[in-house]
Amino acid sequence: GAGVSQSPSNKVTEKGKDVELRCDPISGHTALYWYRQSLGQGLEFLIYFQGNSAPDKSGLPSDRFSAERTGGSVSTLTIQRTQQEDSAVYLCASSLFGQGGEKLFFGSGTQLSVL
Amino acid sequence: GQQLNQSPQSMFIQEGEDVSMNCTSSSIFNTWLWYKQDPGEGPVLLIALYKAGELTSNGRLTAQFGITRKDSFLNISASIPSDVGIYFCAGRGYGGSQGNLIFGKGTKLSVKP
């Protein structure tokens, strides 16, 4: 696609439920990032995928959070047993590793609200 | 670990004023990126810098990669109302995690009441 696509754009869930957030990166981009942005705050790194390398999961806040990237393209961020403090905007970004690879292109995010 | 300080945290602008913000890091970076985020949207890349001392412009925006490789600034000349938003700097260092990319906490630009 022309840009990074995220779905859903908004998700309201009840505490304790599991949610899945999807990211469709720009075609051909080998690197994919997930960030979390709480209201009025900066970007909190969650996880980074680069090609076939093992993902950098160092930013995942707890074992309730996991992510996978199938076929080197689409990625899914899963939050199990959601808590109210998980409410935030979840942003996905992709980049073309190598020349110009430092430029991250972001999606519009998924606004997650845990009631 | 690597840290990145962005200042100011917020500022008010009046149309026509010049604006300046900066970021400093605790370690050397090889890339600096500046993003702008509008409400309800993801950050959009404004300027990318790859060499120490590099000065790059994008319309009314000018950014520089500091000689020490530990800082960068962004200037906006003759601001207009649509410049309001949150500006983030990001730097890529050597080694480390997070895809080697560190984000500042943002500078929020608002219009003077």
Side-chain angles (χ1 to χ4, degrees), chain A residues 37 56 102-104 107-108, chain B residues 33 35 37 41-42 50 97-98:
Chain A
Q37 186 175 31
D56 176 357
E102 297 83 359
K103 300 177 185 177
L104 268 63
S108 296
Chain B
L33 307 170
Y35 286 87
Q37 185 177 30
E41 299 293 328
Y50 302 109
S97 61
Q98 306 185 21

Side-chain angles (χ1 to χ4, degrees), chain B residues 67-97:
Chain B
I67 291 292
T68 65
R69 299 188 182 182
K70 291 185 178 182
D71 63 334
S72 177
F73 71 74
L74 174 70
N75 286 343
I76 306 173
S77 63
S79 58
I80 59 178
S82 62
D83 289 334
V84 301
I86 302 176
Y87 292 78
F88 292 100
C89 61
R92 184 181 297 280
Y94 298 91
S97 61

Side-chain angles (χ1 to χ4, degrees), chain A residues 33 35 37 40-43 45 48 56 58 89 91 95 97 100-109, chain B residues 30-31 33 35 37 40-45 48 50 86 88 92 96-99 101 103-106:
Chain A
Y33 302 72
Y35 289 88
Q37 186 175 31
Q41 300 299 309
L43 301 174
F45 168 78
Y48 163 64
D56 176 357
S58 61
V89 174
L91 290 163
S95 72
F97 196 79
E102 297 83 359
K103 300 177 185 177
L104 268 63
F105 294 87
F106 284 85
S108 296
Chain B
N30 59 30
T31 302
L33 307 170
Y35 286 87
Q37 185 177 30
E41 299 293 328
V44 174
L45 182 67
Y50 302 109
I86 302 176
F88 292 100
R92 184 181 297 280
S97 61
Q98 306 185 21
L101 193 64
F103 276 85
K105 295 188 182 302

Side-chain angles (χ1 to χ4, degrees), chain B residues 1 3 6 8 16-17 30 48 53 56 61 81 89 91-92 100 113:
Chain B
Q3 295 186 6
Q6 185 171 351
E17 288 181 339
N30 59 30
T56 298
L61 277 62
C89 61
R92 184 181 297 280
N100 298 338

Side-chain angles (χ1 to χ4, degrees), chain A:
Chain A
V4 177
S5 178
Q6 291 188 246
S7 61
S9 56
N10 282 282
K11 176 70 176 179
V12 180
T13 190
E14 294 179 350
K15 178 181 174 182
K17 300 283 189 181
D18 297 351
V19 295
E20 285 188 351
L21 312 180
R22 176 188 168 104
C23 174
D24 202 340
I26 293 173
S27 178
H29 280 193
T30 57
L32 188 147
Y33 302 72
W34 283 99
Y35 289 88
R36 179 168 70 175
Q37 186 175 31
S38 300
L39 186 63
Q41 300 299 309
L43 301 174
E44 177 188 3
F45 168 78
L46 297 177
I47 189 168
Y48 163 64
F49 296 89
Q50 169 50 42
N52 295 321
S53 303
D56 176 357
K57 304 179 182 180
S58 61
L60 295 178
S62 77
D63 58 9
R64 295 186 296 105
F65 288 73
S66 63
E68 62 178 20
R69 189 178 184 192
T70 55
S73 181
V74 172
S75 177
T76 301
L77 176 69
T78 301
I79 308 174
Q80 296 178 311
R81 305 180 303 280
T82 52
Q83 303 295 312
Q84 289 183 331
E85 60 263 29
D86 298 335
S87 297
V89 174
Y90 289 82
L91 290 163
C92 175
S94 69
S95 72
L96 181 61
F97 196 79
Q99 186 177 5
E102 297 83 359
K103 300 177 185 177
L104 268 63
F105 294 87
F106 284 85
S108 296
T110 294
Q111 173 73 64
L112 176 65
S113 300
V114 182
L115 304 180

